[in-house]
Structures are given as C-alpha cells and as structure tokens.
Amino acid sequence: MTPLSPSTADRLRHLLVGLKMPRALEAFDDIVRRLETGELSALEAMQSLLAEEFETRESRRVKMGLMTARLTRIKTLEDYDFAFQPSLERDRVLALAGLDFIERKETVHFLGPPGTGKTHLATALGVAAVKAGKSVYFGTLAEIVASLEKAEREGSLQTRIRFLTRNALLIVDEIGYLPLTQNGANLFFQLVNARYEKGAVILTSNRSFKEWGQIFGDNVVAAALLDRLLHHAVVIHIEGNSYRLRAHRNLMPENLAAPQKPNPDKPTRRRGRPRKDQT
Ligand code: ADP
Ligand code: MG
C-alpha cells in the first residue's frame, strides 16, 4: 500500500475534528499504520475508523440513558437464574425482552414474595429498553409519590406528571411495601390516568391485587387504578423462594416467611404429568 500523503492525512484529521469525531481522530494514526503495513484493506480501515467512533457514542448514549432512567443497579436477563425459580414462565419473560410491550403501551406486573427477582426482572427490561434507544424512568412507588407530593407543594404538579408521562417506559417498583396517604394515592392515580394508553408501565409488588384497597387506603381509588393498570396487561407471578435467603433460609422465622400457598390472583394449574383419566 502506498503511504498516505501527509496532506491527505492532515485533511482527514481536519475532517474528523470538523465532524466532531474525537474517538476516530484518536484511533486515526494507528489505523493508517495498519493500512500501510497491509494489515487492513482500505475498506477495513474505513470500517475500523467509523466503528471506533460509533461504539464510543453508543456506550455514552446507553450510560446517559441509564442515568436519566435512574437505573443505577444494572441487572440483565442473562444473569437471572431461571432454574432457581421454576414457577416463573421463562418464555413469557423472554418474550417481554423483545420489547413489543413498549410499542403496544402495555402494563406488565411482576408479582411475588420478597427476593424472587421482581426488581431484577423489571430492571433488566428497563436496561434492555435503554439499549434499544427507548426512554425509561425507574422509581419505587414511594419515591415517585414523594416526588409528586413535592411538585404539588411547589405548584409544579402538572409539569412533574408530564415529565413522568414522557418516557416510553415507566417502572414503578415496590408497590405495597409502604402504605400511601390518601393524597399520595390520589396523586399516583393522576399519574396513572395521565399515562393510560400513552406509554408502557412495569409494576412490581409483593401483594395481591385484592390488597390494593389497603395499600392505597381507599377501595374506590384502588379499583380505578386497577381498572387502568389491568387493561392491556401482562401479569407474571413468581411463587418461589427468596434468592437473597438461598443460603440462610433456615434462619428466617416461620411466622415471617412468605407463605408458600398458591397466589389468590393466579388461576390454579396442576403441575406435572396429567393423570391418566385426563388424557
Ligand atoms: P424482589 O424485588 O423480588 O424482592 P430482587 O429482584 O431485588 O427481589 O432480588 C434480590 C437479589 O437477588 C438481587 O440481587 C437479584 O439480582 C438477585 N436475584 C433474585 N432472583 C434471582 C435469580 N433467579 N437469579 C439470579 N439472581 C437473582
Ligand atoms: Mg424489589
């Protein structure tokens, strides 16, 4: 390969500066050297130069997207051990990772006792959505309601609701750990109502829908919330043991352990091989 003339090399460097491609500029000399030694063809050199810049931008975009989404504890579906949670329908969770539920503006509920991976799965879907270029916002119900209450006090409730309605996916974690005040419940209803059919939502909860009256302190508000959050909804139950306690289950007092009875919201389904008289 004939060496690149200094003026051509300079002009290329100049173009990379003008095009604001700092990572490509950094990699330029090395790529030219590999081109001149014949290690790279001209097309490979172009590909390499653009890939350097593209990958840097992509990872910056994802980093920023995760920060804006407030997804600080990164989890992925690859590090979720489905074998530990045999009651969980793996294929349904993997289908959600295709992210069509976001396009369809559906609501996904992850229900199950503490430690079964509800936050993990919700986060993993949020991370996948950010990587796919969707805007996401993650918060616990308590955090989201506190931010609405603060906005209300400061006279900026509508702005806050608009902000929480703009994202393609809103993740509301930990419904049911802390009871809400009546005003908190009303504010959350306003948010859900504003988002209704406008954007996808993922909710996680350790409580059954029957208990929403208690959580939201009012049966009418709970019913109105569920009316919207169960329309276009995917409900995923996890009924197994806590992953956090997997090494110390025997230390959890029996009266505090999550009951292992069937979930009242889930239609019972026989496991195992069907009996002869049913086949
Ligand atoms: P939940 O929100 O249901 O209380 P988390 O999602 O916070 O539970 O899970 C608790 C911890 O255990 C997290 O660190 C999570 O990554 C991990 N974890 C839970 N279930 C699994 C699993 N099946 N495979 C791998 N890690 C898991
Ligand atoms: Mg959780």
Side-chain angles (χ1 to χ4, degrees):
M1 160 94 210
T2 33
L4 217 57
S5 77
S7 65
T8 310
D10 275 348
R11 237 176 298 137
L12 279 168
R13 281 195 199 92
H14 202 72
L15 286 170
L16 294 177
V17 173
L19 287 165
K20 299 197 170 47
M21 297 172 73
R23 178 61 206 133
L25 182 65
E26 235 171 60
F28 181 74
D29 286 349
D30 185 51
I31 291 171
V32 170
R33 187 189 52 73
R34 287 161 66 202
L35 175 68
E36 287 175 348
T37 58
E39 192 188 324
L40 297 178
S41 70
L43 275 182
E44 283 166 347
M46 276 197 264
Q47 190 269 339
S48 210
L49 194 72
L50 294 176
E52 286 288 344
E53 186 65 35
F54 180 76
E55 278 154 25
T56 309
R57 285 188 194 189
E58 270 299 282
S59 71
R60 195 184 316 135
R61 179 187 67 76
V62 170
K63 207 169 141 199
M64 284 299 294
L66 293 173
M67 249 165 63
T68 342
R70 301 177 135 254
L71 284 164
T72 45
R73 273 187 238 165
I74 304 308
K75 303 279 176 180
T76 64
L77 284 181
E78 288 76 49
D79 26 84
Y80 189 82
D81 180 4
F82 283 90
F84 186 81
Q85 234 31 285
S87 80
L88 178 61
E89 293 163 278
R90 185 169 187 244
D91 292 347
R92 289 181 74 206
V93 176
L94 295 183
L96 289 172
L99 304 177
D100 290 345
F101 77 97
I102 297 183
E103 298 312 318
R104 292 197 293 259
K105 306 178 191 330
E106 288 176 344
T107 304
V108 178
H109 297 261
F110 286 109
L111 302 181
T116 48
K118 303 180 295 296
T119 303
H120 184 128
L121 293 172
T123 304
L125 291 175
V127 170
V130 167
K131 286 187 180 159
K134 317 258 180 227
S135 58
V136 177
Y137 190 84
F138 175 99
T140 63
L141 176 64
E143 285 164 358
I144 289 173
V145 167
S147 83
L148 291 169
E149 284 171 336
K150 179 167 178 278
E152 189 183 39
R153 280 195 304 277
E154 294 169 355
S156 55
L157 180 61
Q158 289 318 312
T159 314
R160 183 69 191 163
I161 288 180
R162 263 201 306 279
F163 169 79
L164 290 170
T165 314
R166 259 202 320 254
N167 310 288
L169 172 63
L170 175 69
I171 303 175
V172 186
D173 198 22
E174 296 187 358
I175 291 185
Y177 279 109
L178 300 169
L180 293 186
T181 62
Q182 198 181 0
N183 189 47
N186 284 335
L187 290 173
F188 185 62
F189 174 75
Q190 287 187 50
L191 170 62
V192 167
N193 203 31
R195 261 195 93 87
Y196 177 60
E197 295 189 331
K198 287 215 190 81
V201 182
I202 298 180
L203 302 141
T204 81
S205 182
N206 62 332
R207 310 275 289 269
S208 69
F209 295 131
K210 272 205 309 216
E211 298 169 277
W212 276 40
Q214 270 166 285
I215 300 167
F216 292 95
D218 182 318
N219 283 345
V220 177
V221 174
L225 274 170
L226 281 176
D227 190 55
R228 284 149 185 85
L229 293 172
L230 288 175
H231 190 199
H232 318 296
V234 178
V235 181
I236 302 219
H237 293 267
I238 318 175
E239 284 168 7
N241 292 321
S242 168
Y243 192 83
R244 292 191 190 100
L245 288 178
R246 64 197 180 289
H248 301 292
R249 186 168 328 285
N250 53 335
L251 299 182
M252 176 63 101
E254 233 169 67
N255 63 322
L256 297 183
Q260 291 297 306
K261 61 176 193 280
N263 191 312
D265 289 330
K266 187 177 186 178
T268 41
R269 204 183 45 177
R270 260 178 47 79
R271 289 194 199 290
R273 230 181 322 168
R275 287 203 311 268
K276 277 230 173 68
D277 55 350
Q278 287 182 326
T279 51

